[in-house]
Amino acid sequence: MTLVVLGQGWTLPSHAQLIRQQREALSEQKIPVVNLGIRFKHRLTGHTTPIRSLAFSPNGRTVISGGSSNEPFLKFWSIQDGHEINTLRTQSSAILTLEVSPNGQTLVSSGEDSDIHFWVWPERDSKVTSFEHYSHVLDLVVTPDSQLVVTGALDGIRVWTLEPPRFLYQLEDFGIPAHALAIHPNGFLVASGDNQGIVRFWNLRDKTVVSEFNAHSQTISGLVITSDQKRLITASRDRTIKVWDLATGDLLDTWTGHRGPIQAMALSPNGQVLASAGHDGIRLWNAQTGRLLRHFQEHSDRVNVIAFSPDGQYLASGGFDRVVNLWEISPAFYESLKLRRTF
């Protein structure tokens, strides 16, 4: 795979134009949004501050939420009945990022206090803490083989071993800030996004920047590399979502519709649905065509975080209204996205 240094003023290639034309044609024919196959399941209440982080347990039976500065607790909720199962104090301030390793054995959290906490799942007393960061940690990712953790903070990007938890090195000594991260399926390339709208690709093997480009006009708030290794999807506080060809660096499409800054983004495990969240609620997009599928407005305030369960059956969101909302997504909904429409 070739990752190139991208420039300004690109023209869309023919295949990107085709994607955009197909989406616009669908819009012009006024196809109604997909209304079947998703139901609101639970409204989880109990936090006293805005929700700042979310994750699902490996078995998909529990959703985990993290609170803000005055409530640095993790809450564990039963997906089946919506009851709070447990509460765990973790950071000393807001919990801004939370991840369960792909092998299901380690829970990692961090946030405003810059401390990195590792737990052997689900043992509450197994915490190991590292103090290498000196500023807010805003995102973290775990490699697909569950060997490494990459943390992105205002003071740069750092890499850790997971078993046992141990600091390895920092990417670039001068500390390029990272507001969002995404791990490539190959496990050694990481994408980072900063507050200037710049995306960088890093090679974890030689600790270098492979490429960088200006993706947005404002802070990058979400990054996704698709499992087929063909596309990078970026979200920004400039209210747009953009789709890029990983091999060429071409801009394939731009999705618009959010009326305020986008705060978070997540891709369903099967790669079919992209969820984005912000000041105007949650939007679900067909990840292949960019077609808007649903617009949820159940939150009464800004939505900060969003996550899919490992099997894609549930979607969770948390926001400034101090609640976690949970939706159940049926297999029929995903199947409907594969059907060709006739007019």
Side-chain angles (χ1 to χ4, degrees), residues 35-341:
N35 290 314
L36 300 177
I38 301 179
R39 71 180 184 95
F40 187 81
K41 186 172 179 66
H42 294 305
R43 182 177 176 87
L44 309 176
T45 60
H47 278 283
T48 60
T49 63
I51 313 300
R52 301 304 303 269
S53 55
L54 282 173
F56 281 86
S57 64
N59 61 15
R61 298 175 185 172
T62 305
V63 63
I64 311 163
S65 56
S68 294
S69 300
N70 295 325
E71 189 201 17
F73 293 91
L74 293 177
K75 288 186 178 292
F76 299 78
W77 311 86
S78 166
I79 291 177
Q80 180 177 0
D81 57 26
H83 292 161
E84 183 180 331
I85 301 171
N86 217 329
T87 298
L88 177 66
R89 184 181 179 95
T90 168
Q91 316 298 136
S92 60
S93 191
I95 307 168
L96 301 180
T97 182
L98 180 65
E99 188 83 15
V100 179
S101 62
N103 64 10
Q105 297 179 9
T106 309
L107 174 67
V108 189
S109 71
S110 191
E112 287 183 348
D113 62 4
S114 75
D115 300 344
I116 312 294
H117 297 306
F118 303 82
W119 281 271
V120 176
W121 178 269
E123 299 175 18
R124 293 167 54 92
D125 298 326
S126 63
K127 184 171 72 172
V128 174
T129 303
S130 293
F131 306 98
E132 297 296 330
H133 278 290
Y134 301 98
S135 188
H136 292 22
V137 177
L138 304 176
D139 201 6
L140 67 87
V141 291
V142 184
T143 56
D145 60 6
S146 297
Q147 296 298 307
L148 300 176
V149 177
V150 183
T151 55
L154 295 180
D155 64 344
I157 303 171
R158 288 166 171 76
V159 181
W160 321 70
T161 59
L162 196 59
E163 298 177 11
R166 181 172 61 87
F167 174 69
L168 285 180
Y169 55 83
Q170 178 174 340
L171 293 173
E172 294 291 339
D173 291 337
F174 51 89
I176 294 174
H179 287 245
L181 297 172
I183 189 76
H184 192 282
N186 65 22
F188 65 86
L189 285 176
V190 173
S192 69
D194 69 11
N195 60 337
Q196 302 298 315
I198 297 174
V199 172
R200 294 176 177 86
F201 281 92
W202 308 80
N203 187 324
L204 297 182
R205 292 175 175 173
D206 58 18
K207 310 174 190 177
T208 60
V209 176
V210 176
S211 66
E212 63 180 69
F213 65 99
N214 293 317
H216 291 270
S217 61
Q218 296 184 34
T219 300
I220 304 292
S221 55
L223 292 171
V224 169
I225 298 174
T226 57
S227 59
D228 62 8
Q229 306 182 24
K230 293 181 178 180
R231 296 178 299 152
L232 170 72
I233 306 177
T234 62
S236 170
R237 293 179 185 169
D238 67 8
R239 308 183 183 187
T240 66
I241 297 169
K242 295 185 179 183
V243 184
W244 310 85
D245 188 309
L246 268 179
T248 66
D250 290 325
L251 175 64
L252 298 177
D253 206 359
T254 299
W255 305 347
T256 60
H258 277 283
R259 297 186 300 273
I262 299 172
Q263 299 292 331
M265 180 176 67
L267 184 67
S268 63
N270 61 15
Q272 292 181 265
V273 177
L274 186 87
S276 57
H279 290 63
D280 59 343
I282 298 162
R283 294 173 187 266
L284 302 186
W285 312 80
N286 184 314
Q288 298 300 318
T289 67
R291 177 175 169 240
L292 180 65
L293 301 172
R294 296 292 297 270
H295 182 196
F296 298 133
Q297 296 178 285
E298 276 76 5
H299 284 280
S300 61
D301 206 333
R302 187 180 83 187
V303 184
N304 293 321
V305 287
I306 195 162
F308 284 95
S309 62
D311 60 4
Q313 186 177 354
Y314 298 101
L315 175 70
S317 61
F320 258 74
D321 57 4
R322 300 175 295 179
V323 303
V324 175
N325 285 333
L326 188 67
W327 287 267
E328 185 173 9
I329 307 174
S330 73
F333 178 81
Y334 290 117
E335 287 299 319
S336 71
L337 303 181
K338 302 177 184 178
L339 299 177
R340 294 187 61 182
R341 294 183 178 272

Side-chain angles (χ1 to χ4, degrees), residues 5-18:
V5 179
L6 307 178
Q8 296 287 342
W10 317 313
T11 58
L12 290 175
S14 58
H15 60 287
Q17 292 282 15
L18 179 61

Side-chain angles (χ1 to χ4, degrees), residues 21-38:
Q21 290 166 5
Q22 290 173 339
R23 176 164 55 83
E24 291 174 349
L26 289 174
S27 176
E28 290 172 1
Q29 296 186 51
K30 299 185 184 304
I31 301 172
V33 296
V34 179
N35 290 314
L36 300 177
I38 301 179

